[in-house]
Amino acid sequence: MTARNVLWIMCDQLRFDYLSCAGHGSLATPNIDRLAARGVRFTRAYVQSPVCGPSRMSFYTGRYMRSHGANWNQFPLRVDEPTLGDASKALGVRNVLVGKTHMRADDDGLDRLGIDRASDIGVHVSQCGFEPFERDDGLHPTASGGGRTRYDEHLRARGFGGANPWEDWANAGDAEGGLASGWLLAHADKVARVDEAESETPYMTRRAMEFIADAARDGRPWCLHLSYIKPHWPYIAPAPYHALYGPADVKPAVRDAAERVDPHPVYAAFMDLRVSRNMARDEVRARVIPAYMGLIKQIDDQLGELFAFLESEGLADTTLVAFTSDHGDYLGDHWLGEKDLFHDCSVKVPLIVYDPSPAADGTRGTVCDRLVEAIDLAPTIVDWFGGRPRPNVMEGRSLLPLLHGRTDLPWRRYAVSEYDFSMLEVRAALGLAPRDSRLFMLFDGRWKLVHAPGFRPMLFDLADDPDEVRDLGGDPTHAPEIARLRDLLLDWALRDHARVTMDDDAILAYGPATQLERGVMIGYTDEAEVAQARADYGLD
Amino acid sequence: MTARNVLWIMCDQLRFDYLSCAGHGSLATPNIDRLAARGVRFTRAYVQSPVCGPSRMSFYTGRYMRSHGANWNQFPLRVDEPTLGDASKALGVRNVLVGKTHMRADDDGLDRLGIDRASDIGVHVSQCGFEPFERDDGLHPTASGGGRTRYDEHLRARGFGGANPWEDWANAGDAEGGLASGWLLAHADKVARVDEAESETPYMTRRAMEFIADAARDGRPWCLHLSYIKPHWPYIAPAPYHALYGPADVKPAVRDAAERVDPHPVYAAFMDLRVSRNMARDEVRARVIPAYMGLIKQIDDQLGELFAFLESEGLADTTLVAFTSDHGDYLGDHWLGEKDLFHDCSVKVPLIVYDPSPAADGTRGTVCDRLVEAIDLAPTIVDWFGGRPRPNVMEGRSLLPLLHGRTDLPWRRYAVSEYDFSMLEVRAALGLAPRDSRLFMLFDGRWKLVHAPGFRPMLFDLADDPDEVRDLGGDPTHAPEIARLRDLLLDWALRDHARVTMDDDAILAYGPATQLERGVMIGYTDEAEVAQARADYGLD
């Protein structure tokens, strides 16, 4: 292997169980399955927050949400937050984006520090450490000034014109007398007005190929983050994907009438959201889920093209490939829509990593059920490029040892995820201040605690109740379990997460001899004691 | 009142109880007492970490140590950490330094963000948000390249010459055949070789007066941080202060033989440090404490001069004056030297605030026993200048309401302090990794919990044991108290501390109407539902 690259594919809102390799019955994803057959599929990969913005900021920094502080969509990532891009830059690796990051630049920070947004550094920090070959967050409503992306220009050039081709062609169907907006769940069974080849997923796939071809001329190693907006809503697919699946392919919602009897107040407020009320309706599910499946199928087909391209470019044996998602989608399970809470369908994501090196030959086609977190991917990439992840900065752990079959290594005992619901109606419904609108999940492989400050906890026993329909948080017989998990949460919460300017190595290199050598004689009585210490420390 | 200024005086390593207004029997501090008679003396003011660096970074940012991440001396403050200086700048106020901050600039961050250190912004962030009228951290051993400060130049000009006047004149006495280094405890009873008028405290006081005179010509309001290095070691005083106090003035050490019987392992490791072993010796205390008292007396005398100057400049009625310290000094109490742990003599500091406005007339000369934290000072200053402290950035609370007699306001129920002992021999002695070398204090006004991850807690009942000599942390009868305090610690630890880029106001202004107005139609079924919502939200 000479050049070592990374192709990091991310879907948006893809559930862990909507892949055939993960056991979905009616949805075949042979190309993703083939990746799993060559790599390792992680069955317990958890995101650090089940919503795009903070989840991605954790992926891109290797840091928990409580560390990076970008708690929700459009919360800026502070200007000096260390990213994978900073680590890559130090290793001479290009960290390149095609697609979505949901990064919002810290305008106040840029102004305060006098950083020119157009400078290399300004772009780097404004783009979350990525070199934006193509940045497109994939949501461009006209009311927010949509219609101005490179993709819009592309659509216009292909004859899909107007003020907002993204909204009017790629994410709309036809209706009598006008457009059927793809934003509306009632239109999810319609066919998108755009040609399949010009829809978002193939467009971004081609852009990825253009970058890869281009990068060969540059010569530097690269990490390409190909970040699809799909199968995120608007739920509407182009032909033929709009019609591949129908109501018969829709699995029954995972839910229980008992969930609505005396529910936890926070859960109750989430069930009462508009999106939950609508997604809980069977007729809505029957329209939306086939479109969701079609969009996934399209991604799988595109990945077939992309993997073939990698092969033809001679890069398949030198490129580590990771496939994941930023969070899942309730799709009506648990009487909920969207994501935002901690049932597995929301907080657990697909994660497949293919390491082409011979060291990984022993694990090909296996599954790994270790507790893995989204923050593990950034240190994995640093490790792959020969760097040493800084544990005081990147809070995740490299997965390479697991890919290389090192089952003897101690591993984390629990995964943690956080959610800030201050931007949702849930906050007002519960009468909370922004700072109190927080939830914390701690999952130890069996027990899942959801700590809700100011409320009783929620608790699920996934061994006994894999569907997570029985909240045991109010049951006094489980108090010892809850106390044990709270202790772990306290351990986690008290960890250092802000000591980004001082590495462990520098700490370990410091000692009383260092201090004395610098002439700082703390607590010495007299000259004889100093002389003795200098001798003991070998300073003379 | 026209111009409103702040004079923020900080001592270094001054215990809360070494002032006559705080009940010290043999040490008279009439000028500080007079300030207390005009203002409010806070009897329960706690620092966020009982060691210079992190304590000061908390004072200067209004943020807990776990938030700013500068966990120990010489740990850089990250380049975009928001400071009091940023808030002052936004209010048109000069934030000016004379003396010590212990700030270390974030060189990596400056390089990464391309910030020129000599630019205004570069100086601002490198100096922790201060305009350095005179920066002097007050510890300049020759072995670390000492002898190059403005103060050294001043000493040379006054005839105290050589390579390192700070070390050889201001912090040394005479010995047969050479110098008696002030670093060594055996020399604490000697007289410093410098003239009193040229020693550090009067020098810095004069520099403060020079700034104040200079600022009158500038016209902008100012916050002057006059930050004395004393009574911090080297413990050696110039004449006559070296001889004002003697062994008869030294109070017995606050300690109990029982403290050394089966002590908590972390406490045991601290007792075993060289400085603790030496400072626990009565003959050492008899030399050191009189010098410590002399240095405090000198500060008090200098403050008399400074307050008279403020008066003569006509500023006494428009300048808020705060007097405090960054932490205390064990001085052999509890068999310990230095600071670093959470007994009151280390973690509690003097805090006196004089607000000249009529609103404070009702509280003059009173004491306040609310739980106050070092992080309260920065928001107090912002409030005084008419600004609104951002609660997602500054975690402390303005003290102005307390100064104005608002006893009806709800106040915090506990104070928290942290300590990172990874840089001390304690870490190696206990065989810990840097990340595990942490302690947390939570004090609710009666019970003081010291949480030590990996060890049993320490617990003191200050109602029953005001000297804190009985650690109840291993006593099972106190398990309910410990559990209650741990719950509070969990609440505190899970608070947001990194959401610095998104203010509460922006969160509160956002809602489902905002989302719909921006064209982001999440979870709507059809056009009729959108139309209804638009009407409900008044968007049409």
Side-chain angles (χ1 to χ4, degrees), chain B residues 138-139 166 171 181-184 200 229-237 295:
Chain B
L139 287 177
W166 174 87
N171 288 284
S181 169
W183 290 101
L184 302 176
E200 290 158 281
I229 178 65
K230 296 300 175 185
H232 192 286
W233 40 259
Y235 301 112
I236 189 165
L295 292 167

Side-chain angles (χ1 to χ4, degrees), chain A residues 66 144 438 486-487 493 496, chain B residues 66 438 486-487 493 496:
Chain A
R66 72 182 292 86
S144 293
R438 296 290 303 274
R486 278 170 65 94
D487 281 353
D496 252 332
Chain B
R66 72 184 292 86
R438 295 291 302 274
R486 278 171 64 95
D487 280 354
D496 252 332

